[in-house]
Amino acid sequence: MALIVQKYGGTSVGSTDRIKNVAKRVAKWKAQGHDLIVVPSAMSGETNRLIALAKDISATPSPRELDVIASTGEQVTIGLLAMALQEEGLQAKSYTGAQVKVLTDSSHTKARILQIDDERIRADLAQGYVVVVAGFQGVDGDGNITTLGRGGSDTSAVALAAALKADECQIYTDVDGVYTTDPRVVPEARKLDTITFEEMLEMASLGSKVLQIRSVEFAGKYKVKLRVLSSFQDEGEGTLITVEEDKNMEQAIISGIAFSRDEAKLTVLGVPDRPGIAYQILGPIADANIDVDMIIQNVGRDGTTDFSFTVNRNEHNRALAVLNSVQEHIGAREILGDAKICKVSAVGVGMRSHPGIASQMFRTLAEEGINIQMISTSEIKISVVIDEKYLELAVRVLHRTFGLDQAA
């Protein structure tokens, strides 16, 4: 008998029929003697609908009130799922994040979990209940409802698994595991049986939408055994995300090709090449709470230099406005913005012991006539910024070049 936390995404609980199917799946696990905590998301599209209602009232809704509204989507799902489980003959109880309680900081719409009170859950489990806990939400020290940001139900599930020392945290979604790249772009993409936390963290941060990056960080930190499975298939082991790379993984130099379309580039031309200029450019960007990703500063010439960096495409216009407002102060000749770029990345722990991966990647792109605008590397990833129109071509040729279409 094991203690298992199961998380079901919005598409998995997108209708009452699908909620009933989830209840049947949970009942099968319960029949095997396992203790179960189930963390569902809001029904697909519901959170967007709730936020749209708020924005019909106010163009800039209060973050506190937005959390009050957005959190109700999960509250509906947990009630429906508990009822469906009861119809399957199981004892089941539902709890909101405040009832558990999931204690967070006070950063509304993007709160972080501080602590989970597991006493009530453990008591219910001991009495044979299936415990259904709302994902995506918690409560701060003053009793205010908080939410964890998009994809926060993944983090809720992993945090519960860590707090209760669960044997496994299973993330059920509309795909049957983690793939070498998006199968919609490369039909030959393969499902990975295992992937390391390091690789999954890079994949999540670089554009893979399978898991929320914070949930992977949490799982890695607390050594939570994490598995990605399909809620629409009964068979299959999914993908196991491991702490250590196994013996066979050394053979795989690259585990996957990740990509992100949500990129924009800002370039500051002709700024004085002096100490502190990077801070003078990026300081105001940070003050505007805009996250910066890749950064390049050219070698100084004639006392000036050019400085480029990338941001999320949604922040492009705001970042451009910030730079235009400080252009005179920093002495820049010109400010340019480009929202038609993308980022493509090769990820794999194997590249630590295999030199020449970067040159192989660059040669492959050059042979296809794809110009690289920016480059960023780490121990286990190489990322390039290219023109958005070449995204699918770049992903396909790199996937083939690194043998990811071949059976392991």
Side-chain angles (χ1 to χ4, degrees), residues 154 178-179 195-217 226 241 257-260 262-263 343 345 347 380-381:
D154 287 355
V178 180
Y179 278 72
I195 187 172
T196 68
F197 278 110
E198 280 184 286
E199 289 171 320
M200 191 66 242
L201 196 57
E202 290 284 12
M203 295 280 276
S205 68
L206 296 169
S208 174
K209 302 290 194 286
V210 177
L211 288 173
Q212 188 210 38
I213 185 169
R214 280 168 57 190
S215 70
V216 183
E217 290 174 341
L226 199 57
I241 302 169
I257 305 296
F259 60 87
S260 171
D262 302 325
E263 304 290 325
K343 180 168 62 178
S345 309
V347 178
I380 66 168
K381 77 104 184 340

Side-chain angles (χ1 to χ4, degrees), residues 54 58 60-71 106-111 144-147:
S58 170
T60 55
S62 156
R64 181 188 182 279
E65 305 311 325
L66 202 56
D67 275 354
V68 171
I69 295 163
S71 64
S106 299
S107 302
H108 287 290
T109 74
K110 52 183 177 181
N144 297 303
I145 294 171
T146 56
T147 65

Side-chain angles (χ1 to χ4, degrees), residues 9 24 62 91 175 227 239 278 291 304 316 354 393 402:
K24 292 181 189 301
S62 156
Q91 296 185 95
V175 295
R227 191 181 297 274
T239 299
D291 288 330
T304 67
H316 172 249
H354 289 79
L393 174 61
F402 290 114

Side-chain angles (χ1 to χ4, degrees), residues 46-117:
E46 182 63 9
T47 302
N48 286 340
R49 186 186 73 85
L50 293 168
I51 291 173
L53 288 174
K55 291 190 174 179
D56 276 347
I57 298 293
S58 170
T60 55
S62 156
R64 181 188 182 279
E65 305 311 325
L66 202 56
D67 275 354
V68 171
I69 295 163
S71 64
T72 62
E74 282 72 18
Q75 188 168 329
V76 171
T77 312
I78 60 171
L80 291 173
L81 181 54
M83 290 166 59
L85 290 166
Q86 291 162 8
E87 290 296 310
E88 291 292 324
L90 301 177
Q91 296 185 95
K93 282 185 181 178
S94 66
Y95 293 104
T96 65
Q99 289 173 315
V100 167
K101 72 181 179 180
V102 177
L103 182 66
T104 74
D105 61 21
S106 299
S107 302
H108 287 290
T109 74
K110 52 183 177 181
R112 291 191 172 270
I113 296 173
L114 303 176
Q115 185 180 345
I116 293 178
D117 184 350

Side-chain angles (χ1 to χ4, degrees), residues 265 296 338 340-341 371-375 384-387:
K265 182 176 72 170
I296 286 181
D338 184 359
K340 294 183 178 180
I341 62 163
N371 186 47
I372 298 172
Q373 300 181 27
M374 303 175 79
I375 301 168
V384 296
V385 165
I386 60 175
D387 193 304

Side-chain angles (χ1 to χ4, degrees), residues 158-176:
V158 173
L160 283 163
L164 284 104
K165 295 180 170 56
D167 295 280
E168 188 165 294
C169 181
Q170 300 173 345
I171 307 293
Y172 284 89
T173 181
D174 54 356
V175 295
D176 60 347

